[in-house]
Amino acid sequence: MILYLLFTAFIGLAILLLCLYLRNPYVWKDLSFAVTLIQIALRMNKIKKQKPFYSILECFLEKVARQQPHKKFIVFEESSYTYSQADKESNRVARALSTHAGLKEGDTVALFMGNEPHYVWIWLALVKLGCTASLLNNNIRSKSLLHCFSCCEAKVLVAGADLQAAVEEVLPALKQQGIRVFILTEDCSVEGIESLCDKIQQASDQPLSPQLSANIDIKSPALYIFTSGTSGLPKAAIVSHEKLWMTSFVLSLVGVRSDDIIYIYLPLYHGGGFLMGLCGAIEKGITVVLRRKFSASQFWNDCRKYNVTIIQYIGEIMRYLCNTPKRDNDRDHKVRLALGNGIRADTWAEFLQRFGDIHICECYGSTEGNIGFINYVGKIGAVGKEHFIHKMRYPYALIRYDPEKEEPVKDSRGFCIRVPRGETGLLVSKIGERTPFSGYAKNEQQTEKKRLRNVFVKGDLYFNSGDLLKIDNEGFVFFQDRVGDTFRHWKPMKGCQNMDFDSKATYQHVQNFLPSYARPRFIRIQDTMAMTGTFKQIKVTLAEEGFNPTIIRDPLFYLENNKGYVPMTPEIFDSISDGRMSL
Ligand SMILES: *[C@@H]1O[C@H](CO)[C@@H](O)[C@H](O)[C@H]1NC(C)=O
């Protein structure tokens, strides 16, 4: 009898699971993602309640003290440093900075340097002192360097040895503001720049008192990270310790294990490299292979040499890798997971075919935003997948958007309108206790611009992502466009190679794939594109250069209504300029 009941129950369960599977082929992945989400939510809740505040530094120090002092933490070129060594190095830096720069809790220090182990030691040192780090892009110079520096009221600038000339250029302005300037060299003969390496070496590596950061809590700013500035001057996004914790859990969310090795070549001044990569690695206690900068030709050699299992990518990196000459050992590596954003569907397929079975995990998110998505099932082309637990914790919506007026469409009562499934809408996500939006440092105007009020009911408050997304019937999230980013589609399209630009095919393609408002009115053909340090295209310069055929030497085409792309002429330019021809 019992056996019979068990048997019936078993068959019943099997049928139920089969039905579930047929209705939703991703049921297992959804379930396992649910388990991970719940684990992380519990962990986050515990961290929020813990007193005194348990920062990511505390997590690091536990690994140093008990769990794995002798495990490799940072591998850089021919050197490697264990968790314990990294801790001692950062003690020295903290002591040197507190003695010679007079740093104390609450101060901000700007870091202006490329990827190297000192980046990590200095950051850990700053957390030990209760200070905030402002991560400057090491490619910026003069005016924009000063602009970024002054965004966060930093008292001290620490610069890499290779950036002395860039620092000297802005030194008079820094000195006028009474800024202390340090450079990572043994000595320095320039008046107003102090060497730091000698001071670090002389300092003791004994632990620092936790009292030094006793007033820091989960809402305190941990970092300032700058937006990439593809569409204007960079803004300093405030990254609280809470946000830092949340982004560092992304590695756990995508299934990184404690024996994995992550390759960080993305700049550490950027959220991808610093938050998801470095902080994620600390949270998991894994080894980081740090590289000064990306090199397509060295990429796989590094992965082989250091047994890398996890890589990150951004923008066009994957395409660069696919464009390298094919080699016999293309599949000879241990990389099992690639995490990032912005891979195009055709590159995705090509990458897998060429480099083997690597799980590509597209993510959507921004440094300042309070919402993110992860495409945890690996569906080609999607930047994420909806999940009911995620949606419960992070309420968001896609709302109808008017691209001409550049604002959300309102209903008769003045509220926003949710788009039906399958339609493109502006992503907004509720700002609340669990989903804070910290905004930009000293820039209430830009911060307010990202806040949307009275969205669905009077008095509610949402974060305006500025991104147009689409969510399909299965819950897959697709990136469509950035709001106001008129120049996004000025990128090379298939079959546009210089002289053999096929205007007919391009017109067909554009008509098929782009909504009317997003179709490029002008096409300019360039051999190479100017990129930011994070491999995003610089649109401002392109926008400034406009479409004047007498200024631009590149081949230039104009979209004539219902006709197609015709070569741009001074006549067309003039009639557009004086309004005889409207766009
Ligand atoms: C990589 O792994 C192989 C085999 O598992 C091992 O022999 C080698 O020492 C490892 N290399 C590094 C740099 O850890």
Side-chain angles (χ1 to χ4, degrees), residues 162-196:
D162 52 330
L163 290 165
Q164 184 164 328
V167 173
E168 283 181 37
E169 206 183 337
V170 296
L171 195 58
L174 294 177
K175 288 289 128 182
Q176 226 169 32
Q177 302 166 45
I179 307 300
R180 298 282 300 270
V181 180
F182 291 89
I183 191 149
L184 286 162
T185 53
E186 303 284 331
D187 50 57
C188 183
S189 56
V190 177
E191 171 86 36
I193 304 182
E194 300 165 70
S195 59
L196 189 57

Side-chain angles (χ1 to χ4, degrees), residues 72 261 304-307 334:
K72 278 185 195 168
I261 297 176
R304 278 185 279 274
K305 180 173 170 190
Y306 301 112
N307 291 334
K334 295 186 176 137

Side-chain angles (χ1 to χ4, degrees), residues 13 36 58 63 71 102 127 150 198 226 233 276 312 318 327 377 393 413 419-420 495 515 547 549 560 571:
L13 188 67
T36 320
E58 247 57 53
K63 291 177 169 94
K71 178 168 175 172
V127 189
S150 55
D198 51 333
F226 290 83
L233 275 178
M276 280 209 281
Q312 288 179 287
M318 299 298 241
R327 290 197 202 141
V377 302
R393 278 183 75 82
R413 295 168 310 152
V419 298
F547 53 90
E560 244 185 24
E571 288 74 39

Side-chain angles (χ1 to χ4, degrees), residues 284-405:
K284 290 251 60 140
I286 63 176
T287 301
V288 173
V289 174
L290 187 64
R291 197 190 155 87
R292 239 177 244 286
K293 56 163 69 136
F294 172 70
S295 155
S297 62
Q298 284 309 305
F299 191 92
W300 295 108
N301 289 339
D302 276 355
C303 291
R304 278 185 279 274
K305 180 173 170 190
Y306 301 112
N307 291 334
V308 169
T309 58
I310 313 287
I311 57 174
Q312 288 179 287
Y313 64 85
I314 199 166
E316 302 282 272
I317 290 284
M318 299 298 241
R319 201 167 58 84
Y320 293 161
L321 291 174
C322 286
N323 285 348
T324 56
K326 284 202 169 69
R327 290 197 202 141
D328 291 341
N329 61 355
D330 275 345
R331 284 164 173 254
D332 171 19
H333 59 75
K334 295 186 176 137
V335 176
R336 65 177 189 89
L337 190 131
L339 174 69
N341 174 258
I343 183 173
R344 286 171 24 194
D346 51 348
T347 310
W348 191 324
E350 189 183 343
F351 185 88
L352 292 184
Q353 203 191 18
R354 172 147 172 212
F355 298 108
D357 187 19
I358 298 172
H359 180 60
I360 294 185
C361 206
E362 266 274 296
C363 301
Y364 164 87
S366 64
T367 309
E368 66 269 52
N370 63 347
I371 179 83
F373 294 103
I374 295 177
N375 174 1
Y376 53 90
V377 302
K379 173 161 176 123
I380 291 186
V383 296
K385 185 169 190 299
E386 287 199 295
H387 195 284
F388 69 100
I389 297 182
H390 175 256
K391 192 153 192 177
M392 238 158 45
R393 278 183 75 82
Y394 305 99
Y396 57 86
L398 299 187
I399 58 174
R400 190 156 286 158
Y401 185 77
D402 183 337
E404 302 291 327
K405 290 195 195 140

Side-chain angles (χ1 to χ4, degrees), residues 429-490:
S429 65
K430 199 160 190 167
I431 298 177
E433 174 55 33
R434 207 184 279 142
T435 49
F437 165 55
S438 307
Y440 306 106
K442 281 185 44 196
N443 199 336
E444 187 46 38
Q445 194 197 352
Q446 291 293 338
T447 303
E448 189 55 33
K449 259 177 100 173
K450 299 298 278 181
R451 293 193 188 114
L452 269 185
R453 293 167 195 283
N454 309 320
V455 175
F456 298 119
V457 291
K458 231 177 158 47
D460 65 5
L461 179 62
Y462 279 74
F463 170 75
N464 178 354
S465 71
D467 289 325
L468 299 175
L469 306 183
K470 188 174 84 181
I471 301 181
D472 75 4
N473 281 329
E474 290 182 308
F476 286 105
V477 183
F478 297 88
F479 182 84
Q480 302 294 101
D481 209 344
R482 252 200 101 79
V483 162
D485 223 1
T486 344
F487 294 88
R488 169 157 218 96
H489 295 289
W490 287 52

